[in-house]
Amino acid sequence: MKQSKKKVVNIDDFLDEFQKKPNLDKLHLSEKYRTSIGQAKSTDNDDELIEKLKLRTGNYSLRTKIIKNPWVQSRPATKAVSWLFKQVFQNPNEFRYSKRLIYQGGLFMFQYKNPKYKGTSQLPWFDKYPLVISLGPVVTKLGVRNLGFNLHLLPPKIRIVAICAVFELYKKLYRYQIFFKQNKPVQIHYKQIVRALDMYGIKFSIRMYIPARMNQIVYFPLKTWHKAIFIPSRGYDSIRAAQLIKAWRIYCRNNHHPASENINWKSII
């Protein structure tokens, strides 16, 4: 008798299931981590407050900051790595993130060297130092997970397009925080981001992470995103950067996305 293959649930199926009434295990976990999940997730309160009080949000432009970043002119990845080691890692009070659940709408980087399914058919390769736009924590049957887009799984020019698009989609909320010098959760939405960036193969970068396996977490304040976006991965496991771009290209072709890793990103963002 042939054994039936285990169904591989994609992220859309998972999120659709997550929206349904949770089972008892998920209800228990949701209650157990209610406070920490609440701190990492955003609500509509800021959006409503801005509209109600007609609050100023400024006109900060991530697009302009990236284009005017002098690193763009020569070896931006090298300069970003230098900034990472000389500034970010040397200033833990500003960049270190002490919690396990990374908050919604934030940009984070962390060490992830020992995934649960490392070396299996479910995870034949992975990024050991993800750079993630967080969608916030979600509760699964196996526990709480951090969900987000790992920009390191996209070609460098596509990363710039992706982060600028996310900022533009929620610029009222991001500008509000920059104007009032805050860094806290922003209510961003998976499906809205995918609709805007599907043509660039954004789904290829969606990943879930086990909080207990994440180490050395740093977060990037909003006003540093124009530098952080140029940080390359410090190492992939079982795949090289060129092979990763090829895998992304195959994914795009199979899903009829016209994106190219050599796009003129300045004309798009």
Side-chain angles (χ1 to χ4, degrees):
M1 180 182 296
K2 290 185 178 181
Q3 291 184 339
S4 59
K5 290 184 178 180
K6 184 178 179 180
K7 181 182 178 182
V8 178
V9 179
N10 65 35
I11 194 66
D12 295 296
D13 293 336
F14 169 79
L15 289 174
D16 286 342
E17 182 64 27
F18 179 72
Q19 298 299 323
K20 298 176 183 177
K21 184 177 179 181
N23 60 29
L24 291 177
D25 289 337
K26 286 167 67 176
L27 283 171
H28 170 71
L29 285 166
S30 295
E31 183 59 29
K32 181 180 178 180
Y33 296 103
R34 180 169 59 86
T35 299
S36 54
I37 289 175
Q39 291 172 345
K41 300 285 281 187
S42 181
T43 67
D44 288 324
N45 292 344
D46 280 349
D47 200 18
E48 294 171 357
L49 186 66
I50 292 170
E51 289 297 323
K52 183 178 180 180
L53 300 181
K54 305 298 181 183
L55 294 175
R56 295 177 62 190
T57 59
N59 56 3
Y60 184 94
S61 170
L62 179 60
R63 174 189 182 276
T64 299
K65 293 292 288 186
I66 289 176
I67 289 177
K68 290 188 175 182
N69 186 339
W71 297 354
V72 172
Q73 304 304 320
S74 176
R75 303 177 67 185
T78 300
K79 292 180 173 64
V81 169
S82 177
W83 173 72
L84 178 68
F85 280 90
K86 293 180 180 180
Q87 296 293 324
V88 177
F89 290 158
Q90 298 301 317
N91 291 280
N93 290 338
E94 182 179 0
F95 295 98
R96 188 179 67 175
Y97 191 74
S98 59
K99 300 176 182 179
R100 288 291 183 179
L101 301 185
I102 57 179
Y103 64 74
Q104 185 180 16
L107 181 66
F108 298 84
M109 190 171 66
F110 48 89
Q111 183 187 86
Y112 203 70
K113 288 187 174 181
N114 189 32
K116 182 175 181 179
Y117 299 106
K118 176 180 179 179
T120 69
S121 58
Q122 288 179 265
L123 193 67
W125 55 264
F126 60 93
D127 177 21
K128 293 186 286 188
Y129 298 93
L131 177 67
V132 173
I133 295 178
S134 173
L135 287 161
V138 294
V139 179
T140 76
K141 294 177 181 178
L142 298 176
V144 179
R145 300 290 187 264
N146 285 312
L147 180 69
F149 298 101
N150 179 7
L151 299 176
H152 281 160
L153 302 186
L154 302 172
K157 293 179 180 179
I158 301 295
R159 296 173 198 169
I160 298 172
V161 172
I163 198 170
C164 285
V166 171
F167 188 91
E168 283 298 308
L169 282 170
Y170 306 100
K171 64 183 177 183
K172 180 171 60 177
L173 293 169
Y174 282 129
R175 284 174 172 174
Y176 167 76
Q177 293 202 22
I178 291 170
F179 190 80
F180 289 99
K181 299 180 180 180
Q182 298 176 338
N183 285 282
K184 62 180 185 178
V186 169
Q187 192 178 61
I188 67 175
H189 302 278
Y190 167 76
K191 290 186 177 180
Q192 188 176 15
I193 292 171
V194 167
R195 279 197 300 270
L197 290 167
D198 202 27
M199 70 180 73
Y200 301 107
I202 188 69
K203 282 188 185 180
F204 183 78
S205 70
I206 192 75
R207 292 293 186 275
M208 283 198 295
Y209 300 96
I210 299 174
R213 294 173 183 256
M214 296 166 56
N215 296 296
Q216 300 178 15
I217 305 174
V218 299
Y219 82 100
F220 297 101
L222 287 163
K223 295 192 80 169
T224 68
W225 281 21
H226 69 290
K227 296 180 179 180
I229 190 57
F230 293 109
I231 300 173
S233 175
R234 290 153 58 204
Y236 299 105
D237 188 286
S238 301
I239 195 170
R240 295 190 300 273
Q243 293 174 315
L244 179 58
I245 291 177
K246 182 178 180 181
W248 168 84
R249 194 185 304 131
I250 292 171
Y251 170 86
C252 288
R253 184 168 65 243
N254 290 343
N255 288 276
H256 310 291
H257 302 321
S260 166
E261 67 271 23
N262 296 314
I263 61 170
N264 180 2
W265 60 269
K266 290 183 181 180
S267 67
I268 296 174
I269 63 173

